[in-house]
Amino acid sequence: MSINVKIPSPLRGLTGGQAEVPVEAETVDEALKQVSVEFSGFGEKVLDEGGQVRRFINIYVNEDNIKDRDDLGTAIQAGDTISILPSIAGGA
Amino acid sequence: MLIIPRPLLKQIHKHMEETYPHECCGLIIGTTGDKKAVELFRPCRNLNNERAADRYELDPKDMLLTQREFEEGPWDIIGIYHSHPDHPSKPSQFDTDRAWPGYSYIIGSVNNGSVEKLQSWELNESERKFYEEPLDIQEEE
């Protein structure tokens, strides 16, 4: 089914400037792999060597952090939106 | 160069001072391209309660909502601001380790509850090093 993956501005250099990438997928994992195949370098930024979401990335399906659902196995439905968000932190 | 209107800067100061002695954080929204300019900002929650005096973790839900708010344009998230209570307005190693390229990082040094200095920084990703980004403060008309 067709869903949209929203790309944050720091990663748009890897998607040719696209803020939104449409994919056909049943799970978050499938969706991210499709974006990775389409755009070289994207997968390495979002997923680690073990195929898990990198520590400084948050992924939401609609309003839900996938950590609170089934992580990369989270099922998606037509019309859902996957948002990739940079984790923002720091301090003195 | 980051262009920011004085009234917005004053409001960011206010947020930094109100949250002292804790760090505050927020998102700055505006335009990039030929001219990088701040149009408005959104204060966000600092989820780091254990070390709020010297750490911040911006609530990802606030990031999500702000990204959605501006996904149809005309502006976008162009950076982050946060305070350094009783510390200089320079990025720490922790700031550098957690920084993203392309964003402006505004840091305000808040001493005894008052903003003393505020600077903006940009990450050079290949060097993993911050460089100061001059602020062009637009005065009220």
Side-chain angles (χ1 to χ4, degrees):
Chain A
M1 68 194 73
S2 182
I3 59 120
N4 287 319
V5 180
K6 304 266 187 188
I7 312 294
S9 52
L11 297 181
R12 285 180 206 156
L14 299 169
T15 59
Q18 280 183 243
E20 195 169 299
V21 178
V23 296
E24 295 280 335
E26 305 285 331
T27 65
V28 172
D29 193 40
E30 285 179 22
L32 295 182
K33 281 181 178 151
Q34 272 193 40
V35 180
S36 304
V37 167
E38 194 173 344
F39 298 103
S40 170
F42 178 87
E44 290 83 346
K45 277 281 184 189
V46 175
L47 303 173
D48 65 19
E49 296 73 13
Q52 297 304 304
V53 178
R54 285 197 182 275
R55 197 173 145 215
F56 302 142
I57 295 271
N58 289 301
I59 297 179
Y60 278 73
V61 172
N62 303 329
E63 312 295 321
D64 300 327
N65 192 321
I66 63 167
K67 289 176 191 165
D68 300 325
R69 291 176 63 178
D70 295 325
D71 275 312
L72 288 170
T74 300
I76 43 181
Q77 299 179 340
D80 281 351
T81 297
I82 296 176
S83 299
I84 298 171
L85 302 173
S87 167
I88 305 295
Chain B
M1 174 79 73
L2 180 66
I3 301 167
I4 184 164
R6 175 80 68 189
L8 281 185
L9 201 58
K10 281 185 182 168
Q11 290 174 53
I12 290 174
H13 279 205
K14 189 164 177 265
H15 186 206
M16 292 178 169
E17 291 172 352
E18 283 173 350
T19 51
Y20 181 88
H22 294 158
E23 292 206 7
C24 75
C25 57
L27 296 165
I28 54 174
I29 292 107
T31 55
T32 54
D34 289 348
K35 240 176 42 169
K36 196 174 181 188
V38 183
E39 297 290 343
L40 43 86
F41 69 99
R42 291 283 179 265
C44 297
R45 279 167 292 183
N46 177 4
L47 293 184
N48 195 325
N49 294 319
E50 289 176 8
R51 290 189 58 176
D54 66 351
R55 291 281 185 273
Y56 78 94
E57 182 184 350
L58 191 145
D59 187 341
K61 205 70 186 274
D62 289 339
M63 183 80 171
L64 177 73
L65 293 175
T66 306
Q67 187 166 288
R68 283 213 186 132
E69 185 181 354
F70 295 101
E71 66 190 8
E72 302 297 331
W75 304 314
D76 201 354
I77 297 167
I78 61 170
I80 296 101
Y81 70 87
H82 75 280
S83 59
H84 279 181
D86 302 311
H87 280 81
S89 51
K90 292 181 177 172
S92 65
Q93 187 59 51
F94 191 65
D95 284 326
T96 307
D97 292 344
R98 298 292 303 267
W100 289 88
Y103 282 148
S104 292
Y105 282 81
I106 294 176
I107 303 177
S109 173
V110 188
N111 291 321
N112 294 317
S114 298
V115 174
E116 286 203 346
K117 192 172 182 182
L118 188 139
Q119 292 170 278
S120 185
W121 304 86
E122 280 183 305
L123 182 77
N124 179 311
E125 192 175 24
S126 58
E127 297 177 34
R128 287 304 299 176
K129 187 178 172 186
F130 269 111
Y131 287 91
E132 187 171 2
E133 174 183 46
L135 281 174
D136 179 0
I137 300 167
Q138 304 282 299
E139 300 300 334
E140 292 175 77
E141 291 185 5

